[in-house]
Amino acid sequence: MNEMKRVEDMCRAALPLDPQRLARVRSRVLTTIAERQQPASRAARGRPWLVRAKAGGRWPSWVAPLAAAAAVAAVIAGAAIVSSAIHPPARTPAAAPQAYTATAAVFVIPARTGQGIQLLPFISGGVSLDDQAQVVKSGAVMSIAVRLLHGKLTPSALDQEVSVTVRPKSQVLDISCRAPTGEGAVACANAVTTAYLQNRRAAAMAALNQQLQPLQSLISSLQKTVAALTATVSHLPKYSPQRAAAQVQRTSAQARLATATAQVAMLYSQKADISVGYILSRATTFRSSA
Amino acid sequence: MRDTAAQVSGHGDAGPDARDDAAMIARSLHAPECFGVLFDRHASAISRYIARRLGPDAADDLVAETFLVAFRRRGRYDGAHADARPWLYGIATRLIGQHRRDEARFLRAIARTGVDPAAEPIADQVTDRVAAQAASRELAAAVAGLSPAQRDVLLLVASGLGYQEAGRALGVPAGTVSSRLVRARRKVREALGAQDRARPGEDAAE
C-alpha cells in the first residue's frame, strides 16, 4: 500500500463527532451567534454592501437597499398617520426588555453520617429532587445569593428570576437565572448555585452539631462518674466487695466513655470533610430569553 | 432559528440555490440563522478532520470555534466559490496551528502505543489488531516527522480536498500545494521504510 493511500485511510478511519455531541456543538454555535446579533447587527450588516459596491456604477449598490428601506418606512409612517386619524391611538404594550438566561448544574449528594444515618432530608432511592428544587428557591438560599452578588435585589425579587429544574433519573439540579445582561445572568446562576451548596452544607453542619451536643454532655457526665468512682475505689479497702463493685462500675463507665469519645471524634472528622454536593458545571454562557 | 434553517436547507421553499454554500453565507448576512445550514452540511467532516489531527477530545471546542470564526468572517467570503469546504478547512487548519504541541503529542502517543483514539476499532482478530496497531504506529511517527506546512497539505489532500481547494484553504497557490505534497509524501515514504520503497510502481500508477 503506498503512503498516500495509507494516509487517506488514516483520515477516513477518524470518527466524526457523534450526533449528540454534534447537536450540542451546533446549539452552542447558534446560541453564540444569536447572542452576537444584538450588538453586531448595526455594524456588520452594512459592511457587505459597502464591500461589494460597484466602483463603476453611478450610485453605490448600498443606495438601493437604503432607498427601499426609506420607501417602506415612509409607507408605514403614512399608514400610521392615516390610521391614527381614523381610529383613536391604541395603547400598545411597551417592548419587552432584553433578558438573558444562564444555567449552572449542581450534583446533590445525600449527606449521611458514617453509620449511614441521614443528616439532611433527601430523596429515598435517588428518584426525586423536587424538595431540593424548592430549597434552592428558599429565602435562606436567596439571602446568601444576594449577599454573594453584592446586589441591590431583595431575596424575593431574586427568587422571581431563578428557576430550578430536576434532571430526570439523576441527582442533578439545573439552576437558571434571568438578568438584563448576559454577564449578570451568569453571575446570578453561579451565585445561587454556590448559595444553595453553602446553605446545604450549613444545614448538614447543624445536623451534625445536633448529634454532637448530647454526646458531649454524655462524655462530660461519664468523665465525672469515672473520676468519682476512681476516688471511691482509692478509699475503699483492698479486696473488699464494695471496692470490687466500684471497680466494675468504673470499667463500665470507662467503656461507655470510650465509645462516646470515638463517636464524637468521628463526627468531628465528618464536620471537617462533609460533602453535600458539588457544582457539576458552572454557568459560563448565556442565552437570550426576552 | 431552527425552523428558518430547516426552510432554507431544502425542506421549505428555499429557491434554486439552496445547496450553494456561497448563497447560504450571503443569506446569513441578513438571516444569521441560515448559518446553521452550513453547520449541518459540513460540521461532521470538519469534526473528523480535527479529530484526526488533535484527537476526539479536542473536536467539540475546535468545531465550535471554526464555525464561530467562519460566522465572524462571512462578510469577507468570496461568493465566487460555491463550495465553502476549503474555507472551513482553512479556518480549522489555522486553529489547529495554534495547537501544534497538542498535535505532536497526540501523534507521538499513537506512535508509542499503536492505539489511535480518533479511529474506530475495526479489527476483531488479535492478529489484525496487532498489525493495525503496528501500521498506526509507523504512520503516526511518519506524519509527526513532517513540517507543519507539509502536514497541513498532506492531511487536507488526504481528507478529500483537491490541490486547488487545499490551496484556497491554506491561502497558497496550487503549485505550492503540489510541491509541498511531493516533499511530504517522500518523507512519509522514507519514514515508512523499505517496504514501501520497494514498490516504486505504485506512485506512477496513481
Side-chain angles (χ1 to χ4, degrees):
Chain A
M1 196 188 288
N2 80 23
E3 74 286 342
M4 198 62 204
K5 177 78 171 58
R6 285 178 67 174
V7 176
E8 284 170 2
D9 285 349
M10 183 177 82
C11 288
R12 264 196 295 272
L15 291 169
L17 288 179
D18 62 58
Q20 286 84 11
R21 281 173 74 184
L22 213 52
R24 277 199 295 274
V25 175
R26 185 187 199 279
S27 158
R28 190 167 132 195
V29 168
L30 295 188
T31 304
T32 310
I33 284 174
E35 296 302 339
R36 284 180 184 168
Q37 279 323 290
Q38 197 67 20
S41 58
R42 279 192 298 276
R45 282 193 180 174
R47 211 172 285 144
W49 298 335
L50 292 169
V51 169
R52 289 173 194 173
K54 289 179 185 168
R58 188 178 171 191
W59 300 100
S61 63
W62 50 266
V63 170
L66 269 185
V72 170
V75 168
I76 292 170
I81 291 166
V82 170
S83 169
S84 63
I86 295 169
H87 304 288
R91 187 169 292 207
T92 53
Q98 185 75 29
Y100 297 89
T101 302
T103 302
V106 62
F107 189 91
V108 185
I109 296 173
R112 292 171 190 280
T113 66
Q115 293 95 1
I117 299 164
Q118 195 166 296
L119 283 175
L120 294 179
F122 197 72
I123 37 160
S124 56
V127 179
S128 167
L129 277 172
D130 291 342
D131 288 345
Q132 291 306 303
Q134 295 304 313
V135 172
V136 172
K137 286 175 70 64
S138 66
V141 172
M142 290 300 135
S143 300
I144 298 171
V146 164
R147 229 177 18 250
L148 290 173
L149 285 167
H150 308 293
K152 292 172 183 168
L153 275 178
T154 61
S156 57
L158 180 61
D159 179 42
Q160 299 295 314
E161 308 302 331
V162 174
S163 60
V164 187
T165 53
V166 180
R167 287 193 200 171
K169 295 180 184 174
S170 76
Q171 290 175 209
V172 179
L173 297 174
D174 285 314
I175 298 172
S176 301
C177 192
R178 204 173 52 165
T181 65
E183 292 75 18
V186 167
C188 172
N190 289 331
V192 174
T193 306
T194 305
Y196 166 67
L197 286 176
Q198 281 186 9
N199 179 65
R200 186 166 168 77
R201 187 181 167 81
M205 285 291 192
L208 278 172
N209 286 336
Q210 221 169 6
Q211 293 187 19
L212 270 171
Q213 261 176 347
L215 279 172
Q216 280 170 331
S217 303
L218 179 66
I219 285 172
S220 174
S221 155
L222 285 169
Q223 281 172 336
K224 284 178 190 161
T225 306
V226 169
L229 287 168
T230 302
T232 307
V233 166
S234 65
H235 288 106
L236 288 170
K238 278 186 179 177
Y239 310 116
S240 66
Q242 292 85 354
R243 183 178 172 128
Q247 277 175 330
V248 169
Q249 284 177 11
R250 188 177 63 176
T251 306
S252 167
Q254 279 172 333
R256 288 169 62 201
L257 181 61
T259 306
T261 307
Q263 284 176 341
V264 165
M266 196 186 63
L267 287 173
Y268 270 115
S269 75
Q270 283 179 351
K271 272 183 83 171
D273 189 27
I274 194 160
S275 180
V276 293
Y278 57 87
I279 298 174
L280 198 62
S281 60
R282 294 184 69 78
T284 52
T285 57
F286 49 85
R287 62 183 186 279
S288 177
S289 61
Chain B
M1 184 177 283
R2 194 178 276 270
D3 291 341
T4 316
Q7 280 173 12
V8 293
S9 68
H11 299 301
D13 184 15
D17 54 2
R19 293 302 305 169
D20 184 339
D21 290 338
M24 201 55 65
I25 290 167
R27 200 175 294 184
S28 75
L29 291 168
H30 309 289
E33 61 272 21
C34 291
F35 213 75
V37 178
L38 205 69
F39 184 95
D40 295 339
R41 286 180 190 169
H42 301 299
S44 181
I46 296 293
S47 73
R48 183 196 292 269
Y49 173 66
I50 292 169
R52 171 70 284 149
R53 299 199 59 174
L54 292 176
D57 293 340
D60 302 61
D61 285 345
L62 276 195
V63 170
E65 189 61 26
T66 298
F67 280 90
L68 288 173
V69 170
F71 181 78
R72 276 202 301 273
R73 296 182 185 166
R74 72 197 190 286
R76 284 177 273 164
Y77 184 77
D78 182 354
H81 299 290
D83 183 4
R85 272 188 322 143
W87 180 57
L88 293 170
Y89 272 99
I91 293 169
T93 303
R94 277 187 287 282
L95 290 173
I96 290 167
Q98 295 167 10
H99 298 81
R100 292 285 181 214
R101 284 183 181 176
D102 294 337
E103 186 180 23
R105 201 177 300 128
F106 178 61
L107 288 169
R108 277 201 306 272
I110 300 173
R112 199 166 51 243
T113 62
V115 176
D116 184 355
E120 65 182 323
I122 44 169
D124 290 335
Q125 299 295 321
V126 172
T127 48
D128 291 347
R129 202 159 53 234
V130 170
Q133 285 184 354
S136 291
R137 263 202 300 269
E138 290 170 5
L139 198 55
V143 173
L146 298 175
S147 72
Q150 290 170 349
R151 192 156 55 228
D152 287 345
V153 165
L154 180 72
L155 294 176
L156 282 172
V157 173
S159 295
L161 296 192
Y163 288 16
Q164 291 285 351
E165 292 171 327
R168 264 184 66 205
L170 298 173
V172 297
T176 307
V177 171
S178 175
S179 58
R180 282 182 193 170
L181 186 64
V182 166
R183 282 196 289 273
R185 290 184 61 174
R186 189 189 307 133
K187 277 178 92 169
V188 171
R189 193 162 51 233
E190 285 168 4
L192 289 176
Q195 192 177 358
D196 283 334
R197 280 204 301 273
R199 290 178 294 192
E202 282 184 354
D203 273 2
E206 255 195 329

